[in-house]
Amino acid sequence: MTVMVDIRSVHKSFGSLDVLKGIDLQVRTGEVTVVLGPSGSGKSTLLRTINHLEKADRGEITVDGAPVGYRRSGDRLHELPEREVLRRRTKIGFVFQNFRLFPHLTVLDNVVEAPVSALKRPRAQAVEHAHRLLARVGLADKAGAYPAQLSGGQQQRVAIARALALEPRLLLFDEPTSALDPELVGEVLDVIRDLAAQGITMIVVTHEIAFAREVADTVVFMADGRIVEQGPPDAVLTAPREERTRAFLAKVL
Amino acid sequence: MSSDTLAQAPAAPEIPGPADVPRIVPQRRYGQWTAAAVVLVLLALAVTSVVRNRAFQWDVVATYFTTGSVLRGLWLTLWLTAVVMVLGFALGTLIAVFRLSANPVLRAVGWGYVWLFRSIPVLVQLLLWFNIGALYPQVLGVKTVNLLSPVAVAVIGLTLHEAAYAAEVVRGGILSVGRDQIEAAQALGLSRWRRGRRIVLPQAMRSIVPPAGNMLIGTLKGTSIVSVIAVNDLLFSAQLIYHRTYQVIPLLMVATLWYAVVTTLLGIGQHYVEKHYARGTERTR
């Protein structure tokens, strides 16, 4: 099996705060990796360094064989011009905790925007694709609505459709259900579960342990800027080897 | 308020419900009624005094309201306002982008521009440009005096002044759009230009339009300052007539009424522009 994401000794600090203290992680193509861990453990920062929303201070991350923000020559990584970073980023879909839909655009225009402007697709083709994606997340009838007219769960499903519109090779979810009312969590997880079943490679940062157990191929437990433990969900969630993992699971379960 | 005023209060509309649930009786606002009455009386007095004061010479106002030279002055005021607004906001947007740039040199230049042109009174600036020939008698072999007509001086002076204020309005608008929105657009691979034009600016417009409307109306009236450099705007046209006829007040009223008419129209226009940019914000589930 090929490796989709290869993270090697990545360090990142914000001022004097070390957020990532040497992360090594491989995500294989077609697999679902769920990242768990307490707040401030560096989960979101790790996700954001993968699509170069944050720049790693040290280490290398490749997605589909190439670093997102750099060009490698010998032992150096040369920073790429923004245009090239943006082009490479279109292969990676990112879903934010707080949806971040564009409030002044309709649901359809939110989904159509990136394929038309970043991939230069003809608008008619993008619109047709967008309708299919909206149907896939169960929102075929909301194409003309504005984000503010939707519930949180619906907005997050639009955000997923928007990420899918780029036909990404990799999907990153940053706590996709943490901003939702409890009764809306299920509908979003259902959509992610469907995507997982279709074999899209994804990394999901979440607090939903039951979801991790059901969907993940690999569970990664992070604490204090390091990966404490990783493995199949049965191993990490049922019989964790590390004390920190056990303590965390005892609190959230 | 004592308990017997409550007892006298008219019955609230009958709402079906259990008999033992107490009715809600709104408070009586005698103070508000009194204040309204006093204000209305004062307003009536003011209106009568204006209508009955023959010195206003409303018949003269009517005669000159649509006279050719006044309408030509009005036209100059209108296009001068439009040109100054368009150029001022174009330059202002550029300065705002400078001020928000990551480049410290551009930031400093943007800041310096706003500082300089907000510091010079627009009247002083017009007089300086009007007398620029004293500093630079010739530009590229042409006499500066021939190069800059009073109208050109008006456009330059007002635009530079406008741009300094427009820059701050636009900067405020851009800052009102959250970092989150820009990041979402970056994550989708949208180019810098596309992010600005499609994501940031339309959302920034919601906070730009109200102060810009203010500036438009301010500029409309502010253009009357060009009468000091003998540009034939609405006010100057009225002045030319009263210098001849000595009917000062009625001609000032002609100008005043035209300014009020145009301001009213612009205010109505602003309402619709605001509505346009508010789309997606009303909850209309």
Side-chain angles (χ1 to χ4, degrees):
Chain A
M1 237 183 183
T2 55
V3 171
M4 173 63 74
V5 183
D6 191 1
I7 302 173
R8 289 186 189 278
S9 59
V10 162
H11 292 253
K12 172 76 185 172
S13 55
F14 294 113
S16 61
L17 182 70
D18 293 331
V19 185
L20 300 177
K21 301 171 183 169
I23 300 284
D24 287 275
L25 179 68
Q26 278 76 46
V27 173
R28 282 187 292 272
T29 305
E31 290 203 340
V32 178
T33 301
V34 171
V35 183
L36 301 173
S39 311
S41 57
K43 313 181 294 284
S44 292
T45 307
L46 177 64
L47 210 60
R48 291 162 57 82
T49 52
I50 294 174
N51 79 338
H52 204 60
L53 282 178
E54 302 288 353
K55 296 176 190 174
D57 298 333
R58 226 154 18 105
E60 185 181 14
I61 302 175
T62 62
V63 175
D64 208 8
V68 175
Y70 305 93
R71 178 175 54 81
R72 180 154 193 169
S73 82
D75 61 345
R76 285 174 192 225
L77 291 173
H78 296 274
E79 211 172 334
L80 288 170
E82 194 194 13
R83 191 166 27 85
E84 185 60 21
V85 176
L86 291 168
R87 201 182 62 75
R88 296 190 179 189
R89 225 183 241 147
T90 58
K91 290 197 283 183
I92 306 169
F94 200 104
V95 176
F96 296 91
Q97 178 179 349
N98 52 356
F99 330 136
R100 304 196 189 177
L101 295 178
F102 305 127
H104 60 299
L105 300 180
T106 61
V107 163
L108 184 70
D109 282 334
N110 264 279
V111 181
V112 165
E113 177 60 29
V116 167
S117 85
L119 299 181
K120 310 289 173 215
R121 295 267 166 79
R123 192 178 155 83
Q125 186 191 330
V127 166
E128 196 220 333
H129 188 208
H131 280 298
R132 268 184 286 135
L133 289 171
L134 288 173
R136 192 163 155 193
V137 298
L139 293 171
D141 56 333
K142 296 292 186 189
Y146 284 98
Q149 294 167 276
L150 305 180
S151 73
Q154 291 172 328
Q155 289 189 51
Q156 191 61 300
R157 286 187 279 152
V158 173
I160 294 172
R162 182 175 72 171
L164 289 172
L166 289 165
E167 294 172 344
R169 309 263 293 135
L170 169 70
L171 272 177
L172 306 175
F173 291 89
D174 187 7
E175 304 202 21
T177 59
S178 297
L180 297 176
D181 291 336
E183 79 273 19
L184 303 175
V185 169
E187 62 188 65
V188 172
L189 292 183
D190 285 345
V191 170
I192 302 176
R193 197 177 284 120
D194 282 353
L195 294 172
Q198 288 161 31
I200 300 180
T201 315
M202 48 178 131
I203 305 177
V204 186
V205 170
T206 186
H207 292 292
E208 300 287 333
I209 307 291
F211 173 78
R213 192 187 300 278
E214 180 195 347
V215 176
D217 295 297
T218 304
V219 170
V220 173
F221 178 70
M222 277 181 76
D224 199 23
R226 293 196 173 85
I227 291 178
V228 175
E229 180 165 4
Q230 59 173 304
D234 280 344
V236 177
L237 298 175
T238 315
R241 280 175 284 116
E242 301 291 328
E243 181 50 40
R244 298 200 65 167
T245 318
R246 272 197 288 275
F248 175 76
L249 290 173
K251 271 188 214 149
V252 296
L253 282 178
Chain B
M1 208 175 265
S2 65
S3 58
D4 52 34
T5 20
L6 279 175
Q8 290 163 11
E14 284 298 333
I15 299 162
D20 57 340
V21 174
R23 264 200 216 108
I24 293 165
V25 181
Q27 189 193 355
R28 293 204 155 180
R29 302 176 187 280
Y30 298 109
Q32 292 202 351
W33 283 103
T34 321
V38 170
V39 168
L40 282 176
V41 167
L42 290 176
L43 201 61
L45 286 174
V47 170
T48 348
S49 95
V50 170
V51 173
R52 296 183 62 182
N53 187 338
R54 306 189 63 84
F56 274 104
Q57 295 178 274
W58 291 111
D59 51 326
V60 179
V61 173
T63 315
Y64 284 110
F65 195 64
T66 52
T67 198
S69 66
V70 167
L71 290 182
R72 280 192 295 279
L74 173 66
W75 172 240
L76 186 137
T77 291
L78 289 177
W79 76 249
L80 182 61
T81 305
V83 167
V84 166
M85 275 305 275
V86 169
L87 294 181
F89 265 83
L91 180 59
T93 305
L94 183 71
I95 302 291
V97 170
F98 272 32
R99 287 208 64 181
L100 294 168
S101 162
N103 183 330
V105 175
L106 294 189
R107 266 205 314 274
V109 169
W111 181 88
Y113 180 94
V114 172
W115 169 79
L116 181 65
F117 284 98
R118 285 201 309 196
S119 306
I120 312 175
V122 66
L123 176 56
V124 174
Q125 218 206 118
L126 284 177
L127 294 174
L128 281 174
W129 285 107
F130 197 63
N131 295 295
I132 195 75
L135 290 172
Y136 300 98
Q138 288 201 342
V139 175
L140 303 170
V142 187
K143 275 194 169 166
T144 318
V145 187
N146 301 333
L147 211 59
L148 288 182
S149 66
V151 173
V153 166
V155 169
I156 293 171
L158 292 176
T159 297
L160 293 178
H161 175 81
E162 186 90 356
Y165 287 87
E168 288 298 273
V169 168
V170 172
R171 188 170 69 96
I174 292 173
L175 286 176
S176 76
V177 181
R179 180 82 218 139
D180 280 9
Q181 286 284 310
I182 297 163
E183 220 178 58
Q186 283 173 328
L188 288 168
L190 268 55
S191 68
R192 182 179 293 257
W193 169 252
R194 185 79 179 181
R195 292 199 298 268
R197 210 181 55 78
R198 179 76 166 159
I199 306 302
V200 177
L201 207 55
Q203 296 187 66
M205 286 307 276
R206 286 200 59 214
S207 7
I208 291 176
V209 171
N214 235 357
M215 281 179 62
L216 174 57
I217 286 166
T219 305
L220 172 78
K221 294 175 296 181
T223 54
S224 61
I225 205 164
V226 302
S227 57
V228 300
I229 53 170
V231 172
N232 247 316
D233 75 324
L234 177 55
L235 176 62
F236 196 68
S237 311
Q239 286 175 322
L240 282 181
I241 298 171
Y242 73 61
H243 285 321
R244 201 175 66 233
T245 66
Y246 298 103
Q247 293 160 317
V248 177
I249 295 296
L251 277 144
L252 286 180
M253 290 317 293
V254 167
T256 304
L257 287 175
W258 271 121
Y259 283 119
V261 166
V262 179
T263 303
T264 308
L265 294 177
L266 292 177
I268 294 169
Q270 183 182 344
H271 171 77
Y272 287 101
V273 174
E274 279 182 25
K275 247 176 112 167
H276 172 77
Y277 284 107
R279 70 193 190 281
T281 57
E282 289 126 324
R283 286 191 160 261
T284 48
R285 198 183 307 206

